[in-house]
């Protein structure tokens, strides 16, 4: 009888602890996904949906055109990764981007700079970048580099300042390969300066995107939350 009583109160205690943890203030949905934090990881795929992302280093009319074109196609979720130097030159296009509601990320063309920085200098550089974007009324949620992947130290320091590092599974070359499926992928496409060429590129990309089964465009965060298997873990 005593053992049954002890077992009953043990089960009751466990249930009470689960209930308290459920009600307690938690971390964000992103923080709950395994492997993202504190483990250093770089997002590049998920299980459900397609995260459409664009790298912007040049162009004004072509970028404006693409923003309008996405909306006309009913694509309301995408992320634009912006080179800070581009941001500094195109305040008018930035206004259109803000009004569009698309997500924004920082596109770093020179990630090698971190190799010579102390941790304090890395933190300062990231903070300055975020502040610069904020001054333009942009709220960057993501960070992407051109070329080599970042080290675990830098990835973690970016995450500490609320930036998720995003790589990609599919780029323009792989997208144009026959039979490529975009389901569960982060797709990264580079914008170009000439509007006519931009339209030609987008028509080709859109056909390739639509060649597979029906595409459901999601944000990077939604793709991240769709599984536990979409980060490149760094040792």
């Amino acid at each position: 009888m005593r053992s049954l009583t002890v077992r009953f109160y043990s089960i009751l205690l466990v249930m009470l602890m689960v209930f308290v943890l459920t009600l307690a203030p938690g971390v964000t949905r992103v923080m709950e996904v395994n492997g993202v934090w504190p483990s250093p990881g770089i997002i590049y795929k998920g299980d459900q949906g397609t995260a459409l992302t664009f790298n912007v280093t040049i162009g004004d009319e072509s970028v404006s055109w693409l923003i309008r074109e996405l909306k006309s196609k009913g694509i309301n979720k995408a992320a634009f990764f912006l080179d800070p130097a581009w941001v500094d030159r195109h305040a008018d296009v930035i206004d259109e981007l803000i009004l569009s509601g698309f997500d924004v990320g920082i596109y770093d063309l020179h990630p090698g700079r971190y190799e010579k920085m102390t941790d304090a200098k890395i933190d300062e550089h990231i903070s300055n970048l975020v502040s610069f974007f904020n001054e333009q009324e942009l709220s960057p949620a993501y960070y992407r580099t051109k070329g080599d992947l970042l080290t675990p130290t830098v990835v973690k320091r970016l995450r500490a300042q609320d930036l998720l590092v995003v790589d990609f599974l599919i780029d323009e070359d792989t997208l144009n390969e026959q039979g490529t499926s975009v389901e569960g992928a982060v797709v990264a496409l580079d914008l170009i300066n000439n509007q006519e060429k931009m339209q030609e590129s987008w028509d080709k990309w859109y056909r390739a995107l639509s060649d597979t089964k029906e595409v459901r465009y999601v944000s990077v965060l939604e793709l991240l939350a769709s599984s536990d298997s979409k980060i490149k873990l760094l040792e």
Side-chain angles (χ1 to χ4, degrees):
M1 184 68 178
R2 178 179 175 79
S3 63
L4 288 175
T5 302
V6 171
R7 184 178 301 175
F8 170 78
Y9 281 108
S10 297
I11 293 173
L12 185 62
L13 179 60
V14 170
M15 291 177 66
L16 180 62
M17 290 176 64
V18 170
F19 178 76
V20 171
L21 289 173
T22 301
L23 293 181
V27 293
T28 65
R29 172 61 184 152
V30 178
M31 303 281 272
E32 293 171 358
V33 180
N34 293 339
V36 176
W37 186 262
S39 301
I42 299 176
I43 307 157
Y44 70 107
K45 68 177 182 177
D47 284 343
Q48 300 173 1
T50 299
L52 189 58
T53 70
F54 301 98
N55 300 323
V56 181
T57 60
I58 55 176
D60 45 19
E61 291 182 357
S62 57
V63 179
S64 296
W65 177 86
L66 182 61
I67 292 171
R68 296 192 300 270
E69 177 69 7
L70 291 172
K71 292 295 185 178
S72 72
K73 298 289 189 191
I75 300 175
N76 296 310
K77 293 183 180 180
F80 284 73
F81 286 79
L82 310 177
D83 173 14
W86 181 90
V87 172
D88 196 37
R89 297 192 304 267
H90 296 289
D92 51 341
V93 186
I94 288 171
D95 289 340
E96 295 179 50
L97 189 55
I98 293 170
L99 290 173
S100 74
F102 291 123
D103 289 340
V104 170
I106 299 172
Y107 189 38
D108 188 353
L109 302 181
H110 307 288
R113 62 164 60 88
Y114 292 116
E115 296 175 4
K116 299 179 180 180
M117 288 185 179
T118 64
D119 288 350
K121 285 294 184 182
I122 291 173
D123 291 341
E124 180 182 3
H125 177 71
I126 296 169
S127 178
N128 288 339
L129 275 176
V130 173
S131 295
F132 170 70
F133 273 64
N134 290 163
E135 288 169 5
Q136 317 306 316
E137 299 185 9
L138 293 168
S139 300
Y142 312 122
Y143 196 97
R144 170 179 286 162
T145 56
K146 182 178 177 64
D148 296 337
L149 296 179
L150 294 167
T151 65
T153 296
V154 179
V155 172
K156 291 176 73 173
R157 304 196 90 80
L158 285 161
R159 186 66 196 100
Q161 297 198 45
D162 296 323
L163 291 170
L164 290 169
V165 181
V166 181
D167 197 25
F168 56 87
L169 183 66
I170 294 175
D171 60 8
E172 181 176 0
D173 292 336
T174 51
L175 178 62
N176 292 324
E177 293 176 0
Q178 188 173 5
T180 297
S181 173
V182 298
E183 178 66 15
V186 175
V187 179
L189 302 169
D190 292 324
L191 270 59
I192 53 183
N193 192 27
N194 183 281
Q195 182 174 332
E196 184 177 343
K197 292 182 178 179
M198 182 71 258
Q199 290 179 240
E200 292 175 0
S201 293
W202 169 251
D203 288 342
K204 182 173 61 176
W205 297 340
Y206 188 70
R207 283 195 301 272
L209 288 164
S210 304
D211 275 346
T212 57
K213 66 179 183 178
E214 184 178 353
V215 181
R216 182 173 68 90
Y217 294 102
V218 298
S219 69
V220 173
L221 291 185
E222 288 171 328
L223 189 72
L224 175 63
S226 72
S227 79
D228 292 330
S229 61
K230 66 296 175 185
I231 59 173
K232 297 176 180 178
L233 289 178
L234 307 175
E235 299 300 334

